[in-house]
């Protein structure tokens, strides 16, 4: 999985961990190895994808069809609030696509935003081995499952990385490919920025 896929959202189980969790150095080293493998693989991955993206927030629920191209990702809304778009709404979406493909400046703006997102995602992956206490939850010939809980000794170097202090979950490693097969976790507490003046992330569940 490349770092691009880190934005995929789905339902998760909430994990409960004892407060006295300690670092398993072997598990931490394994997590560090797989994160580095993912970063290297992502740098070499130039695959283009077609997929559906489900976007939800209070007051908005939309399903998009996305096609990645060398010029940028073309996105078309196909459902809103659980219903298909009307012909008029679809025509509006088509005009947005036409405007995008005929605008080099908009394409470059999107590519720049994507590069910045990829950089932030890579930085977060690099931090994860030190941001959590790691332990082996299960092990089989095919896969190893590592559980993680916040490391109280980790000092977040950026605003985005503050979410690590409130996140617990697990990752599944594919032994044959030495790759990350699945990562899922949950924010167990709300996270505020600047005492809530600059932003707030409410408890949520994330799967990759």
């Amino acid at each position: 999985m490349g770092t691009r896929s880190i934005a995929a959202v789905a339902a998760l189980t909430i994990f409960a961990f004892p407060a006295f969790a300690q670092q398993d150095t072997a598990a931490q080293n394994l997590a560090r190895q797989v994160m580095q493998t993912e970063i290297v693989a992502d740098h070499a991955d130039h695959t283009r994808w077609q997929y559906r993206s489900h976007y939800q927030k209070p007051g908005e629920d939309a399903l998009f069809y996305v096609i990645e191209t060398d010029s940028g990702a073309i996105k078309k809304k196909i459902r809103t609030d659980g219903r298909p778009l009307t012909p008029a709404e679809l025509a509006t979406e088509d005009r947005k696509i036409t405007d995008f493909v005929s605008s080099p400046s908009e394409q470059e703006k999107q590519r720049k935003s994507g590069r910045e997102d990829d950089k932030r995602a890579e930085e977060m992956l690099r931090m994860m081995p030190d941001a959590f206490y790691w332990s082996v939850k299960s092990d089989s010939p095919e896969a190893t499952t590592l559980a993680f809980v916040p490391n109280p000794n980790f000092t977040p170097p950026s605003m985005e990385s503050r979410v690590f202090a409130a996140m617990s979950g697990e990752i599944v490693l594919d032994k044959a490919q030495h790759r990350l097969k699945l990562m899922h976790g949950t924010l167990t507490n709300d996270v505020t920025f600047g005492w809530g003046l600059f932003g707030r992330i409410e408890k949520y569940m994330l799967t990759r």
Side-chain angles (χ1 to χ4, degrees):
M1 294 184 179
T3 55
R4 283 178 288 187
S5 59
I6 204 166
V9 177
L12 300 173
T13 302
I14 296 178
F15 300 94
F17 295 92
F20 52 83
Q22 295 181 346
Q23 188 68 272
D24 180 333
T25 303
Q28 182 189 33
N29 289 338
L30 189 56
R32 194 182 308 280
Q33 179 183 9
V34 76
M35 296 304 171
Q36 182 59 36
T37 300
E38 289 302 314
I39 291 169
V40 171
D42 186 67
H43 286 176
D45 183 8
H46 303 292
T47 307
R48 302 299 180 214
W49 296 88
Q50 299 181 43
Y51 56 92
R52 293 189 176 193
S53 175
H54 189 192
Y55 178 80
Q56 289 179 294
K57 71 175 185 178
E60 185 174 359
D61 186 331
L63 181 66
F64 294 87
Y65 184 65
V66 184
I67 299 176
E68 295 181 350
T69 73
D70 291 340
S71 299
I74 298 173
K75 181 172 68 173
K76 181 176 181 177
K77 186 188 295 185
I78 56 177
R79 294 184 69 88
T80 184
D81 298 327
R83 64 167 178 82
L85 268 63
T86 65
E89 290 170 330
L90 288 172
T92 298
E93 292 297 307
D94 288 338
R95 285 194 296 271
K96 291 179 182 178
I97 293 173
T98 299
D99 291 342
F100 176 77
V101 299
S102 61
S103 174
S105 62
E106 286 299 313
Q107 294 169 25
E108 176 54 31
K109 180 179 178 181
Q110 187 193 94
R111 288 194 295 269
K112 180 180 178 181
S113 177
R115 289 192 295 268
E116 292 172 350
D117 287 344
D118 286 347
K119 182 179 178 181
R120 283 191 291 267
E122 180 176 323
E123 290 171 350
M124 297 286 274
L125 285 181
R126 290 187 187 279
M127 281 186 270
M128 284 190 69
D130 297 314
F132 299 104
Y133 279 165
W134 296 88
S135 61
V136 177
K137 182 177 181 180
S138 64
D139 192 33
S140 73
E142 295 79 26
T144 299
T145 300
L146 302 181
F148 61 87
V149 296
N151 178 354
N153 300 314
F154 176 72
T155 301
S158 63
M159 189 162 63
E160 293 94 337
S161 59
R162 287 189 57 193
V163 298
F164 288 151
M167 181 178 286
S168 299
E170 63 184 39
I171 64 175
V172 180
L173 317 180
D174 185 312
K175 287 185 173 181
Q177 299 185 18
H178 304 289
R179 296 290 303 275
L180 182 62
K181 184 176 181 180
L182 175 70
M183 178 170 66
H184 58 106
T186 183
L187 277 183
T188 55
N189 297 291
D190 295 349
V191 180
T192 59
F193 303 99
W195 297 280
L197 296 176
F198 301 115
R200 177 186 184 91
I201 300 178
E202 297 182 352
K203 291 186 290 186
Y204 75 100
M205 293 170 285
L206 170 70
T207 281
R208 176 186 175 201

